[in-house]
Amino acid sequence: MAKKVTIRDIAQQACVGVGTVSRVLNGGSVSKETRERVLKVINELGYRPNPHARMLAGGKTNRVMFIFPEMRNEFHWRLLKSFDLTLDGYDYQTVVYPLISDNRLKKLRSDKQLLKEVDAVVVATVPLDTTFGKRPDFAQPLILIEWVHEDYDCINVDNEYGGRKAAELLLEHQPNEFFAIQSYETNPMIADKHLWERFNGFKKVLLEAGYDFPDDHIIYADLFTGPPHDKVFEILTKYDRPAIFALTDNYALIVLQIASTLGKKPGKDFFLVGFDDQYWAREGGLTTIKQPVEEIGAKAAEIALKRIRNPDAPIEHVKFVPTVVRRLTA
Amino acid sequence: MAKKVTIRDIAQQACVGVGTVSRVLNGGSVSKETRERVLKVINELGYRPNPHARMLAGGKTNRVMFIFPEMRNEFHWRLLKSFDLTLDGYDYQTVVYPLISDNRLKKLRSDKQLLKEVDAVVVATVPLDTTFGKRPDFAQPLILIEWVHEDYDCINVDNEYGGRKAAELLLEHQPNEFFAIQSYETNPMIADKHLWERFNGFKKVLLEAGYDFPDDHIIYADLFTGPPHDKVFEILTKYDRPAIFALTDNYALIVLQIASTLGKKPGKDFFLVGFDDQYWAREGGLTTIKQPVEEIGAKAAEIALKRIRNPDAPIEHVKFVPTVVRRLTA
DNA sequence: CTGAAAGCGCTTACAG
DNA sequence: CTGAAAGCGCTTACAG
């Protein structure tokens, strides 16, 4: 087993002091030639700085914490994946912190040590105010995904717009009745605000078109077990050419499956628009509102990195606009 | 903001050397009185040892890594939750490491630094041989969940037994035809061996009862989108009183939902047994084979802790026996 | 731009 | 059982 190579080995090989090596590592001022020489040795010896020594000495940790709720949704995994990949490109590590229990939340809030191990923290689709408080006093920069806060960098999707687009797509077919399949959220660690923004956009456009969407046309779905099938069944059989907005592709999938067992043709016997554009949606022919998941994850990573380098950079609020993906169901 | 308290502060307050404090922290030999005195000061000052200093100095990290595949299943979250809770009780931290990409697996295999941050690693439902190799050379103790390996502590469920029980339950109703809904796994980082063990047990009992289960009675389901509804539909409508073994409760849920739209009564028009006993199963009236998820997670934590304390303890192979939960569907 | 030195907070032989 | 000391691998003023 190869003896572990330390900063001292590099220094000796490159004929410089350890301080200089540290400076090329951390972007201090070093002459171009020595920098290159040191870099060369680092590569040759496959040197990796010991993160713990770094942290002890008060430097950067090269890590960013990614906090997200207990979601079994494709969305969060894709988000995490692109986030992690982007970070990796900059030699940063992702510390995965799922909020799966009150205990974990509590620990995060009380154990100062925990947060000290990262240079920044990203919180995705978590209702910030009810979990970390109105203005969490993290020592690290905080980046928010699907949440808006004046004091922090935020990345959001224009959900309202997406909802409006969904309505427009459905309206084209001049259906008689509209329905929405919405999440019924009870877990205080999971945000559902953005889902209601989608719904509001949807409802607004419908109203403009003269259709006053009745509240009892909302079908509430459990995040994990989906919408009650009998309700969906009822809509599909009782109404003529109904239009359905599934606020998440998950729910749209169920509708499609039920329809197939009924022999109902999407885009003809009923109309359906989802939200997300999950992997299966293409094959399933689902017309949906796509949010750029991968871009969001990558952007979060980039903003975190920028913020780490420059704590005083102006706060950045990014809003991604979802796009319409027209396929067979509407 | 309170100045951070270090081991030196404790030493001074307790009138001992830092070495002594370290010894009470790490279980070295200290007289009972001084130990108590030190402990008292630690409590009063709310001292928490800096993990990085610890690691640098070559001590324990008080962390265990939990590696699991990209599963959006209830099972893994429950497992992780109980694991984390148990560890927490011993003042240990869980390092959550989901295997969501090849990149993450590669990093785990190549970056020696990563593994050094934990005292032990637990790998859950991952095919060890195809991911880490026949005999991974981790420096840390390795504990396996749902995988068998002579050289490591393993925790398994008697899946074969569970499958047999499922068959017995179904057989009671003397159905004419049997079906199974099985996972179709393509992701090499997700183990499905245990699912086939269940199936084998199932098939075996059926054969003993004179029913030679035909392979084309297996319905393959995608882990994320579930079984194709039209197939389930077909079984429910084409056959008289069919018996279905869903190898995961997820799949059973779909069957129940489809049946409800068809007006078919479980336990009468068809028979259904699941596996897992997920949260919704009780309310859903699902008869299922329950595996003690929480116990498995807790056990994994305890074995890890034991192994950390005593690397030479004999290898432990634990096998949990699933239990039958009789409800309405069979 | 660069080297030598102090210090980050611990652990672990080493003497007593 | 216990204290003083060395060392873990870095970073960051401090002088030059």
Side-chain angles (χ1 to χ4, degrees):
Chain A
M1 58 182 232
K3 196 175 176 312
K4 81 182 75 167
V5 20
T6 74
I7 198 174
R8 191 160 303 161
D9 300 319
I10 304 299
Q12 287 186 335
Q13 280 280 326
C15 299
V16 295
V18 292
T20 302
V21 178
S22 179
R23 267 170 231 121
V24 348
L25 248 29
N26 298 294
S29 48
V30 183
S31 80
K32 203 179 162 205
E33 355 180 335
T34 49
R35 151 164 280 123
E36 276 169 3
R37 185 148 39 88
V38 171
L39 246 22
K40 187 154 159 283
V41 177
I42 286 181
N43 265 323
E44 284 174 7
L45 272 60
Y47 166 69
R48 316 232 55 179
N50 179 322
H52 305 295
R54 272 192 146 160
M55 308 177 86
L56 225 207
K60 294 301 175 195
T61 66
N62 270 255
R63 297 171 186 214
V64 180
M65 183 176 278
F66 189 86
I67 300 175
F68 62 110
E70 175 184 352
M71 288 284 275
R72 300 168 203 148
N73 214 310
E74 183 184 295
F75 176 78
H76 285 86
W77 288 109
R78 282 172 65 180
L79 197 62
L80 177 56
K81 210 177 291 192
S82 75
F83 179 80
D84 180 66
L85 228 50
T86 308
L87 233 44
D88 191 51
Y90 293 92
D91 240 333
Y92 267 71
Q93 294 260 359
T94 307
V95 173
V96 179
Y97 200 97
L99 240 35
I100 50 170
S101 64
D102 290 339
N103 192 52
R104 292 209 113 212
L105 174 58
K106 206 170 52 191
K107 238 157 69 176
L108 204 54
R109 296 174 55 153
S110 62
D111 191 344
K112 295 299 171 193
Q113 214 74 262
L114 243 178
L115 262 339
K116 285 228 184 70
E117 308 181 6
V118 296
D119 298 332
V121 7
V122 173
V123 176
T125 64
V126 169
L128 197 74
D129 46 9
T130 58
T131 49
F132 295 101
K134 294 283 178 202
R135 207 184 174 304
D137 63 334
F138 291 170
Q140 291 74 12
L142 180 58
I143 290 93
L144 270 20
I145 295 180
E146 281 292 22
W147 196 261
V148 177
H149 195 301
E150 297 238 318
D151 302 339
Y152 306 110
D153 294 309
C154 299
I155 301 174
N156 282 273
V157 168
D158 195 338
N159 286 293
E160 234 243 35
Y161 173 86
R164 291 209 307 271
K165 284 299 162 188
E168 288 170 12
L169 278 168
L170 256 16
L171 239 13
E172 286 180 17
H173 302 93
Q174 301 181 265
N176 298 315
E177 295 290 345
F178 292 85
F179 297 89
I181 306 181
Q182 175 66 299
S183 282
Y184 181 71
E185 199 45 67
T186 54
N187 184 153
M189 286 185 272
I190 301 182
D192 63 353
K193 214 184 201 176
H194 56 292
L195 294 179
W196 287 106
E197 289 167 9
R198 292 174 195 173
F199 178 74
N200 290 338
F202 175 71
K203 190 169 175 175
K204 191 177 297 175
V205 166
L206 252 33
L207 192 60
E208 287 164 9
Y211 184 89
D212 189 7
F213 190 92
D215 280 354
D216 64 351
H217 275 204
I218 300 178
I219 298 167
Y220 286 98
D222 181 276
L223 208 43
F224 302 131
T225 60
H229 283 219
D230 48 2
K231 295 263 190 186
V232 176
F233 178 86
E234 195 184 313
I235 292 172
L236 253 21
T237 52
K238 205 164 125 188
Y239 294 88
D240 182 44
R241 298 180 7 113
I244 306 171
F245 177 29
L247 279 101
T248 276
D249 279 0
N250 299 315
Y251 303 154
L253 175 62
I254 305 283
V255 175
L256 281 182
Q257 305 241 55
I258 294 176
S260 91
T261 68
L262 292 171
K264 298 277 186 184
K265 296 283 170 245
K268 182 163 158 286
D269 300 327
F270 70 98
F271 308 101
L272 176 67
V273 173
F275 208 110
D276 270 351
D277 196 29
Q278 296 183 354
Y279 292 143
W280 62 269
R282 172 190 294 270
E283 197 189 348
L286 179 68
T287 294
T288 191
I289 310 298
K290 171 186 184 134
Q291 40 179 345
V293 191
E294 276 70 26
E295 284 80 359
I296 298 173
K299 189 72 182 178
E302 251 133 32
I303 290 187
L305 259 18
K306 181 205 68 177
R307 178 65 55 203
I308 291 169
R309 290 201 200 93
N310 180 10
D312 299 322
I315 299 285
E316 197 170 338
H317 278 202
V318 180
K319 194 156 213 164
F320 281 102
V321 179
T323 54
V324 169
V325 182
R326 250 176 223 274
R327 286 195 274 245
L328 310 175
T329 64
Chain B
M1 57 183 231
K3 196 175 176 313
K4 80 184 75 166
V5 21
T6 74
I7 199 175
R8 191 160 302 160
D9 300 319
I10 305 299
Q12 287 186 337
Q13 280 281 326
C15 301
V16 295
V18 293
T20 303
V21 178
S22 179
R23 267 170 231 122
V24 347
L25 248 28
N26 298 294
S29 49
V30 183
S31 81
K32 202 180 163 205
E33 354 178 337
T34 49
R35 150 164 283 122
E36 277 168 0
R37 184 149 37 90
V38 170
L39 247 21
K40 188 154 159 282
V41 177
I42 285 181
N43 265 323
E44 285 173 6
L45 272 60
Y47 166 68
R48 316 232 55 177
N50 180 321
H52 306 295
R54 270 192 147 161
M55 307 177 88
L56 224 208
K60 292 302 175 195
T61 67
N62 271 255
R63 299 170 186 216
V64 181
M65 184 177 276
F66 188 85
I67 300 174
F68 62 110
E70 175 184 353
M71 287 287 273
R72 302 167 201 148
N73 214 309
E74 182 183 295
F75 176 77
H76 284 85
W77 289 109
R78 283 172 65 179
L79 197 62
L80 177 55
K81 209 177 292 191
S82 74
F83 179 79
D84 180 66
L85 227 51
T86 308
L87 232 43
D88 191 52
Y90 292 94
D91 240 334
Y92 267 70
Q93 295 258 0
T94 308
V95 173
V96 180
Y97 201 96
L99 240 36
I100 50 170
S101 63
D102 290 340
N103 192 51
R104 292 208 114 214
L105 174 58
K106 206 170 53 189
K107 237 156 72 175
L108 203 55
R109 297 174 56 152
S110 62
D111 191 344
K112 294 300 171 194
Q113 214 75 260
L114 243 178
L115 262 338
K116 284 228 183 71
E117 308 181 6
V118 297
D119 299 332
V121 6
V122 172
V123 176
T125 63
V126 169
L128 198 74
D129 46 9
T130 58
T131 49
F132 296 100
K134 294 283 179 202
R135 208 184 172 303
D137 61 336
F138 292 170
Q140 290 74 12
L142 180 58
I143 291 92
L144 270 19
I145 295 181
E146 283 290 22
W147 197 261
V148 177
H149 195 302
E150 297 237 316
D151 301 339
Y152 306 110
D153 295 309
C154 300
I155 301 173
N156 282 273
V157 168
D158 195 337
N159 285 292
E160 234 243 37
Y161 173 85
R164 292 208 307 272
K165 284 298 163 189
E168 288 171 14
L169 278 166
L170 257 14
L171 240 12
E172 285 180 18
H173 302 93
Q174 302 181 266
N176 298 316
E177 295 291 346
F178 292 85
F179 297 89
I181 306 181
Q182 175 67 298
S183 283
Y184 180 71
E185 199 45 67
T186 54
N187 184 153
M189 288 184 271
I190 301 181
D192 63 353
K193 213 183 200 176
H194 56 291
L195 294 179
W196 287 105
E197 288 168 9
R198 292 174 194 171
F199 177 75
N200 290 337
F202 175 70
K203 190 169 176 174
K204 191 178 297 175
V205 166
L206 252 32
L207 191 61
E208 286 167 10
Y211 183 89
D212 188 7
F213 189 92
D215 279 354
D216 63 353
H217 275 204
I218 300 179
I219 299 167
Y220 286 99
D222 180 276
L223 208 44
F224 302 131
T225 59
H229 283 219
D230 49 0
K231 295 264 190 184
V232 176
F233 178 86
E234 193 185 315
I235 293 172
L236 252 22
T237 52
K238 205 163 125 187
Y239 294 89
D240 182 45
R241 299 182 1 115
I244 306 170
F245 177 29
L247 280 102
T248 277
D249 279 0
N250 300 314
Y251 303 154
L253 174 63
I254 306 282
V255 175
L256 281 182
Q257 305 243 54
I258 293 177
S260 92
T261 69
L262 291 172
K264 297 278 185 183
K265 297 279 170 249
K268 184 164 158 286
D269 299 326
F270 70 99
F271 309 101
L272 177 66
V273 173
F275 208 110
D276 270 351
D277 197 30
Q278 297 183 354
Y279 292 144
W280 63 268
R282 172 190 293 268
E283 195 189 348
L286 180 69
T287 295
T288 191
I289 310 298
K290 171 187 184 132
Q291 40 179 345
V293 191
E294 277 70 26
E295 284 79 359
I296 297 173
K299 190 72 182 176
E302 252 133 33
I303 290 185
L305 258 18
K306 181 204 68 178
R307 179 63 57 203
I308 291 169
R309 290 201 200 91
N310 181 10
D312 299 322
I315 298 284
E316 197 169 338
H317 278 201
V318 180
K319 193 157 213 165
F320 282 102
V321 179
T323 53
V324 169
V325 182
R326 249 177 224 273
R327 287 195 273 244
L328 310 175
T329 63

